[in-house]
Amino acid sequence: MLSVTLELEPETPGSLTRAVSENGIEDVNIFIYRNGSRVGHTYAAGTSHKIDIAPGTYSFYVVANMHCDMGDLSESNLQGYAITAPADDGTLTMIGSDTFTIDGSKQVLPLSLKRHAAKIAYNIAVDPAAGDIELASVQLCSIPDREYLITDLTAPTDPA
């Protein structure tokens, strides 16, 4: 067995909002797979994690800020995992994945986490030439009922 340290770091966003912690990592689910089989799963806090692992090539997936243990998911179940409602807890869900060859030459495995969602801000203005139009309300439409964690592997479906 070899000891390595998985170092997690949030991807640097272009701009930050004050409403939520876009870089905060409160908890993580770490999934480790080899040849499609799960060899490890950990639910923990923090951004640095020591892992004892046999030499070999592994796929690492990290999901941050789910605020729960996601359980021992197979790789295909993780790739199809969907969130039905975003948490309103001041953090954003983040996901990161990479493949590492563990052979004793590397002690630190860096993994960047990307925000799964972001706050969208917008301003609506009525041109003064349009007269005395007053905006009474705004309604958001066509919102999907779920969002997949790993969007590059799970294509959204359009029921229409």
Side-chain angles (χ1 to χ4, degrees), residues 63-94:
V63 181
N65 299 330
M66 288 292 288
H67 308 301
C68 68
D69 186 339
M70 295 171 65
D72 293 330
L73 299 173
S74 68
E75 190 170 16
S76 62
N77 284 346
L78 177 62
Q79 291 171 347
Y81 195 92
I83 300 172
T84 55
D88 188 17
D89 58 9
T91 61
L92 292 175
T93 305
M94 291 186 249

Side-chain angles (χ1 to χ4, degrees), residues 6-23:
L6 182 64
E7 290 289 342
L8 307 174
E9 140 178 332
E11 180 182 65
T12 305
S15 63
L16 297 175
T17 65
R18 293 190 176 135
V20 296
S21 173
E22 294 188 25
N23 285 332

Side-chain angles (χ1 to χ4, degrees), residues 137-150:
S137 68
V138 175
Q139 182 177 5
L140 189 58
C141 299
S142 299
I143 301 173
D145 63 346
R146 70 184 60 95
E147 178 65 33
Y148 294 96
L149 283 177
I150 304 174

Side-chain angles (χ1 to χ4, degrees), residues 4 6 8 29-42 51 53-63 73-76 78-79 95-102 109-111 150 153:
V4 295
L6 182 64
L8 307 174
N29 279 273
I30 301 169
F31 298 93
I32 306 170
Y33 302 96
R34 184 174 188 186
N35 299 325
S37 297
R38 182 181 40 78
V39 295
H41 167 250
T42 302
I51 299 169
I53 194 164
T57 301
Y58 298 89
S59 297
F60 284 73
Y61 293 86
V62 176
V63 181
L73 299 173
S74 68
E75 190 170 16
S76 62
L78 177 62
Q79 291 171 347
I95 182 85
S97 64
D98 207 343
T99 300
F100 296 103
T101 297
I102 311 297
L109 309 176
L111 186 61
I150 304 174
L153 296 175

